[in-house]
PDB file of all heavy atoms in Angstrom:
ATOM      1  N   SER A 223      95.730  80.752 106.447  1.00  0.00           N
ATOM      2  CA  SER A 223      95.087  79.687 107.223  1.00  0.00           C
ATOM      3  C   SER A 223      93.671  79.305 106.791  1.00  0.00           C
ATOM      4  O   SER A 223      93.341  78.107 106.840  1.00  0.00           O
ATOM      5  CB  SER A 223      95.094  80.043 108.719  1.00  0.00           C
ATOM      6  OG  SER A 223      94.406  81.248 108.967  1.00  0.00           O
ATOM      7  N   PRO A 224      92.775  80.208 106.372  1.00  0.00           N
ATOM      8  CA  PRO A 224      91.437  79.741 106.007  1.00  0.00           C
ATOM      9  C   PRO A 224      91.416  78.880 104.747  1.00  0.00           C
ATOM     10  O   PRO A 224      90.446  78.163 104.510  1.00  0.00           O
ATOM     11  CB  PRO A 224      90.661  81.047 105.778  1.00  0.00           C
ATOM     12  CG  PRO A 224      91.467  82.125 106.405  1.00  0.00           C
ATOM     13  CD  PRO A 224      92.883  81.678 106.315  1.00  0.00           C
ATOM     14  N   ASN A 225      92.483  78.959 103.945  1.00  0.00           N
ATOM     15  CA  ASN A 225      92.482  78.324 102.635  1.00  0.00           C
ATOM     16  C   ASN A 225      93.449  77.150 102.544  1.00  0.00           C
ATOM     17  O   ASN A 225      93.773  76.702 101.441  1.00  0.00           O
ATOM     18  CB  ASN A 225      92.844  79.359 101.561  1.00  0.00           C
ATOM     19  CG  ASN A 225      91.881  80.522 101.553  1.00  0.00           C
ATOM     20  OD1 ASN A 225      90.697  80.357 101.833  1.00  0.00           O
ATOM     21  ND2 ASN A 225      92.374  81.707 101.240  1.00  0.00           N
ATOM     22  N   ILE A 226      93.899  76.649 103.686  1.00  0.00           N
ATOM     23  CA  ILE A 226      94.842  75.536 103.724  1.00  0.00           C
ATOM     24  C   ILE A 226      94.233  74.411 104.563  1.00  0.00           C
ATOM     25  O   ILE A 226      93.814  74.629 105.694  1.00  0.00           O
ATOM     26  CB  ILE A 226      96.193  75.979 104.318  1.00  0.00           C
ATOM     27  CG1 ILE A 226      96.839  77.049 103.423  1.00  0.00           C
ATOM     28  CG2 ILE A 226      97.128  74.790 104.497  1.00  0.00           C
ATOM     29  CD1 ILE A 226      98.051  77.707 104.046  1.00  0.00           C
ATOM     30  N   ILE A 227      94.175  73.222 103.977  1.00  0.00           N
ATOM     31  CA  ILE A 227      93.636  72.039 104.647  1.00  0.00           C
ATOM     32  C   ILE A 227      94.790  71.067 104.908  1.00  0.00           C
ATOM     33  O   ILE A 227      95.591  70.800 104.005  1.00  0.00           O
ATOM     34  CB  ILE A 227      92.572  71.328 103.782  1.00  0.00           C
ATOM     35  CG1 ILE A 227      91.497  72.314 103.301  1.00  0.00           C
ATOM     36  CG2 ILE A 227      91.951  70.156 104.539  1.00  0.00           C
ATOM     37  CD1 ILE A 227      90.615  72.863 104.367  1.00  0.00           C
ATOM     38  N   TRP A 228      94.880  70.561 106.142  1.00  0.00           N
ATOM     39  CA  TRP A 228      95.929  69.595 106.473  1.00  0.00           C
ATOM     40  C   TRP A 228      95.435  68.187 106.187  1.00  0.00           C
ATOM     41  O   TRP A 228      94.374  67.768 106.664  1.00  0.00           O
ATOM     42  CB  TRP A 228      96.328  69.734 107.932  1.00  0.00           C
ATOM     43  CG  TRP A 228      97.327  68.726 108.401  1.00  0.00           C
ATOM     44  CD1 TRP A 228      97.127  67.729 109.313  1.00  0.00           C
ATOM     45  CD2 TRP A 228      98.693  68.598 107.988  1.00  0.00           C
ATOM     46  NE1 TRP A 228      98.280  67.003 109.499  1.00  0.00           N
ATOM     47  CE2 TRP A 228      99.264  67.506 108.697  1.00  0.00           C
ATOM     48  CE3 TRP A 228      99.500  69.297 107.082  1.00  0.00           C
ATOM     49  CZ2 TRP A 228     100.588  67.114 108.529  1.00  0.00           C
ATOM     50  CZ3 TRP A 228     100.824  68.903 106.919  1.00  0.00           C
ATOM     51  CH2 TRP A 228     101.351  67.829 107.640  1.00  0.00           C
ATOM     52  N   LEU A 229      96.195  67.453 105.374  1.00  0.00           N
ATOM     53  CA  LEU A 229      95.863  66.075 104.993  1.00  0.00           C
ATOM     54  C   LEU A 229      97.027  65.191 105.419  1.00  0.00           C
ATOM     55  O   LEU A 229      97.842  64.743 104.610  1.00  0.00           O
ATOM     56  CB  LEU A 229      95.628  65.993 103.484  1.00  0.00           C
ATOM     57  CG  LEU A 229      94.492  66.899 102.962  1.00  0.00           C
ATOM     58  CD1 LEU A 229      94.593  67.102 101.474  1.00  0.00           C
ATOM     59  CD2 LEU A 229      93.140  66.325 103.339  1.00  0.00           C
ATOM     60  N   GLY A 230      97.115  64.958 106.719  1.00  0.00           N
ATOM     61  CA  GLY A 230      98.273  64.299 107.287  1.00  0.00           C
ATOM     62  C   GLY A 230      98.505  62.885 106.798  1.00  0.00           C
ATOM     63  O   GLY A 230      99.622  62.372 106.887  1.00  0.00           O
ATOM     64  N   GLN A 231      97.465  62.229 106.245  1.00  0.00           N
ATOM     65  CA  GLN A 231      97.624  60.847 105.782  1.00  0.00           C
ATOM     66  C   GLN A 231      98.330  60.780 104.429  1.00  0.00           C
ATOM     67  O   GLN A 231      98.755  59.699 104.006  1.00  0.00           O
ATOM     68  CB  GLN A 231      96.248  60.167 105.677  1.00  0.00           C
ATOM     69  CG  GLN A 231      95.381  60.632 104.519  1.00  0.00           C
ATOM     70  CD  GLN A 231      94.639  61.934 104.788  1.00  0.00           C
ATOM     71  OE1 GLN A 231      94.945  62.647 105.746  1.00  0.00           O
ATOM     72  NE2 GLN A 231      93.654  62.240 103.958  1.00  0.00           N
ATOM     73  N   ARG A 232      98.479  61.906 103.745  1.00  0.00           N
ATOM     74  CA  ARG A 232      99.184  61.913 102.464  1.00  0.00           C
ATOM     75  C   ARG A 232     100.681  62.104 102.705  1.00  0.00           C
ATOM     76  O   ARG A 232     101.134  62.159 103.845  1.00  0.00           O
ATOM     77  CB  ARG A 232      98.593  62.994 101.545  1.00  0.00           C
ATOM     78  CG  ARG A 232      97.091  62.801 101.319  1.00  0.00           C
ATOM     79  CD  ARG A 232      96.542  63.650 100.211  1.00  0.00           C
ATOM     80  NE  ARG A 232      95.089  63.530 100.124  1.00  0.00           N
ATOM     81  CZ  ARG A 232      94.351  64.008  99.131  1.00  0.00           C
ATOM     82  NH1 ARG A 232      94.932  64.642  98.113  1.00  0.00           N
ATOM     83  NH2 ARG A 232      93.033  63.865  99.142  1.00  0.00           N
ATOM     84  N   GLN A 233     101.430  62.230 101.615  1.00  0.00           N
ATOM     85  CA  GLN A 233     102.883  62.272 101.726  1.00  0.00           C
ATOM     86  C   GLN A 233     103.432  63.611 101.235  1.00  0.00           C
ATOM     87  O   GLN A 233     102.909  64.194 100.281  1.00  0.00           O
ATOM     88  CB  GLN A 233     103.505  61.137 100.905  1.00  0.00           C
ATOM     89  CG  GLN A 233     103.115  59.746 101.366  1.00  0.00           C
ATOM     90  CD  GLN A 233     103.569  59.446 102.781  1.00  0.00           C
ATOM     91  OE1 GLN A 233     104.707  59.724 103.168  1.00  0.00           O
ATOM     92  NE2 GLN A 233     102.670  58.881 103.584  1.00  0.00           N
ATOM     93  N   GLY A 234     104.501  64.058 101.875  1.00  0.00           N
ATOM     94  CA  GLY A 234     105.229  65.226 101.407  1.00  0.00           C
ATOM     95  C   GLY A 234     104.374  66.473 101.327  1.00  0.00           C
ATOM     96  O   GLY A 234     103.461  66.692 102.131  1.00  0.00           O
TER      97      GLY A 234
END
Side-chain angles (χ1 to χ4, degrees):
S223 60
N225 301 327
I226 297 170
I227 308 292
W228 176 247
L229 301 162
Q231 73 279 14
R232 303 192 186 190
Q233 298 298 315

